[in-house]
Amino acid sequence: MSRIVVLGGGESGVGSAVLAKVKGFDVFLSDSGKLADKYVEQLNKWEIPYECGGHSEEKILNADEIIKSPGIPNDAPLVVKAGANGIHIISEIEFAGRYDNSKKICITGSNGKTTTTSLIYYLLKEAGLNVGLGGNIGQSYAYQVATEHYDVYVLELSSFQLDNMYDFKADVAIITNITPDHLDRYDHKMENYVRAKFRITQNMKEDDCFIFCSDDEITIKHLDQIVVKAKELPFSQKEEVKQGAFLQQDRIVVRVPQEDDCNVFLNELALGGKHNIYNSMAAAITAKLMKISNQNIRKSLGSFTGVEHRLENVMTIRDVLYINDSKATNVDSAWYALECQTKPVVWIVGGKDKGNDYSPLYELARQKVKAIVCMGVDNAKIHESFKDIVPVIKDTLGAEEAVKECAALAEAGDVVLLSPCCASFDLFKSYEDRGRQFKEAVRKL
């Protein structure tokens, strides 16, 4: 019996362990930290041996294959040692894909991937398809492959999930855009990060489809350097494309082979902002490829309610609107969040800096931001970057303190925007934890 060791006991790792157990492997899970109660319950239910609070090398380095959770970097000492011992290291996505014959729609990108993934899932579900949602969102893909049967999967894939993927193949692959992010995991080389993103297209064949933003300079620049066999379906707000999606005055036109055009008026879209036109275009192209009717596409793009922690309106208090955009963990995401604000902004920013260059935000901050409230352990870089641009910059060390500070600074008609630009790990467990604590603090007001 082959031995599989799973490194990491979160959603991805536990899902992988369950699938390995179902498929008859000798499986062991190891996590250096503490496991959440729900994962301990799952491992016990499936009778999977595990350890937490440290790694026992003798129980790990005898594996035939290791499934590594995406949060563990490839240069972690144990991962390096396992590789040196000739142990094959794969991702949850690679492992689950071996046992899944469904059609796979896979989405990556620096920004917009969660919204686009959620939109596509909503479109397909509303049209009555038997569809699962997984990857970097919702329930583990591997766990669903072990316990469910879907005809189609919509999978959000981060660059970390793509890193250890080799034979997995998408039927439809989407890159929303590529901007500098997570460079600390890629030797601070943009080239390495871009290559990781383009792994989503590997193994694709001529009858598969690759959807991408032709307005995105980095994507286009690298498209010429990477062999993509799949049909290319670009989307653009700047020019008309032969096949894909483009803007024509006040509407999106969606055009795919052997299908009639679908026209969606911009004022019908549920999601506002320029970035959401791109997300809606990618989703609409996918829906057309899946043979969903034009009427259903228009209806679903008009009724979608958005994603938690992505420009989520929390509530209005004393005529001040509080917005949770905790998922904005990089500069580009925060740029979109600021760009679509029409009222004066009190901006909550900060956290674990990933080598951010804040200069693309200067002009928007000058125009729209009246005060910055930092929410992080070390805010020196934010102070240095915005001291000559934003008149008021305050420091706080938690969601409740930050929200109280914002309430004191904001006046009727203002917006308080949590769009942190940074990872959450200095003060919070995750961006979800940060967003929920923010919402809880707003409700307490």
Side-chain angles (χ1 to χ4, degrees), residues 91-109:
S91 67
E92 173 211 0
I93 307 300
E94 175 74 8
F95 183 60
R98 293 175 185 172
Y99 304 101
D100 175 30
N101 296 320
S102 68
K103 197 174 183 78
K104 290 176 273 292
I105 297 164
C106 301
I107 302 97
T108 196

Side-chain angles (χ1 to χ4, degrees), residues 417-442:
L417 172 68
L418 168 67
S419 192
C421 262
C422 302
S424 56
F425 305 124
D426 60 338
L427 293 173
F428 305 94
K429 291 184 198 139
S430 61
Y431 75 79
E432 294 98 333
D433 176 42
R434 175 170 62 191
R436 284 177 194 134
Q437 286 198 39
F438 170 74
K439 290 195 283 185
E440 188 54 37
V442 171

Side-chain angles (χ1 to χ4, degrees), residues 314-429:
V314 181
M315 55 174 31
T316 300
I317 301 168
R318 297 191 196 93
D319 202 24
V320 174
L321 173 62
Y322 290 78
I323 299 175
N324 168 26
D325 193 41
S326 180
K327 201 169 187 313
T329 59
N330 59 40
V331 168
D332 209 52
S333 286
W335 187 94
Y336 282 120
L338 286 170
E339 189 258 344
C340 63
Q341 301 309 319
T342 54
K343 296 173 176 176
V345 175
V346 177
W347 179 26
I348 303 176
V349 65
K352 188 173 183 298
D353 186 288
K354 297 181 282 187
N356 288 347
D357 168 14
Y358 293 105
S359 59
L361 299 170
Y362 291 169
E363 194 49 45
L364 281 172
R366 195 173 278 116
Q367 291 168 21
K368 305 192 178 206
V369 177
K370 62 188 285 185
I372 283 175
V373 173
C374 299
M375 188 168 68
V377 173
D378 178 7
N379 306 311
K381 192 168 167 187
I382 294 164
H383 278 270
E384 184 57 36
S385 298
F386 293 99
K387 65 182 182 194
D388 299 326
I389 295 167
V390 177
V392 179
I393 302 178
K394 303 276 188 180
D395 289 312
T396 64
L397 275 169
E400 201 161 334
E401 190 190 349
V403 166
K404 282 179 179 165
E405 189 68 65
C406 290
L409 291 164
E411 300 167 292
D414 289 352
V415 165
V416 170
L417 172 68
L418 168 67
S419 192
C421 262
C422 302
S424 56
F425 305 124
D426 60 338
L427 293 173
F428 305 94
K429 291 184 198 139

Side-chain angles (χ1 to χ4, degrees), residues 120-301:
I120 292 169
Y121 174 68
Y122 180 73
L123 277 158
L124 271 50
K125 206 163 170 50
E126 288 292 292
L129 274 68
N130 175 30
V131 56
L133 173 72
N136 207 30
I137 184 174
Q139 196 175 40
S140 153
Y141 170 48
Y143 188 81
Q144 291 179 81
V145 170
T147 59
E148 308 272 0
H149 174 75
Y150 291 113
D151 300 322
V152 185
Y153 273 102
V154 183
L155 302 173
E156 177 190 328
L157 301 178
S158 69
S159 56
F160 301 162
Q161 287 168 311
L162 292 164
D163 279 337
N164 293 95
M165 208 178 83
Y166 306 100
D167 298 322
F168 178 92
K169 182 182 86 67
D171 297 280
V172 177
I174 300 165
I175 296 181
T176 55
N177 50 52
I178 304 176
T179 60
D181 197 9
H182 302 299
L183 296 188
D184 49 337
R185 277 276 290 260
Y186 293 99
D187 299 330
H188 294 279
K189 289 179 184 159
M190 187 65 186
E191 192 66 33
N192 295 351
Y193 174 62
V194 173
R195 263 202 299 264
K197 287 294 187 196
F198 266 97
R199 286 177 78 89
I200 200 167
T201 64
Q202 69 188 12
N203 306 317
M204 293 182 89
K205 299 187 167 64
E206 286 81 357
D207 50 354
D208 299 321
C209 293
F210 173 45
I211 299 168
F212 61 95
C213 179
S214 57
D215 298 344
D216 186 63
E217 287 175 24
I218 294 174
T219 304
I220 295 306
K221 183 180 156 194
H222 288 82
L223 202 52
D224 299 338
Q225 299 165 26
I226 290 160
V227 178
V228 179
K229 290 182 182 170
K231 283 190 206 80
E232 293 184 4
L233 296 167
F235 54 92
S236 170
Q237 292 188 43
K238 294 179 178 173
E239 57 188 15
E240 186 171 325
V241 297
K242 285 199 183 94
Q243 291 184 338
F246 58 93
L247 277 187
Q248 197 173 68
Q249 289 151 344
D250 57 350
R251 75 190 74 181
I252 295 169
V253 179
V254 188
R255 187 170 289 163
V256 304
Q258 282 98 47
E259 295 285 324
D260 56 330
D261 286 2
C262 174
N263 292 281
V264 185
F265 287 93
L266 296 181
N267 62 9
E268 294 177 325
L269 295 176
L271 300 177
K274 187 178 167 185
H275 58 297
N276 278 321
I277 296 174
Y278 284 124
N279 298 336
S280 300
M281 284 175 162
I285 296 168
T286 308
K288 285 293 285 181
L289 292 172
M290 297 300 292
K291 311 286 187 201
I292 292 172
S293 73
N294 292 346
Q295 184 184 355
N296 276 352
I297 292 171
R298 279 197 298 269
K299 187 177 159 198
S300 294
L301 288 178

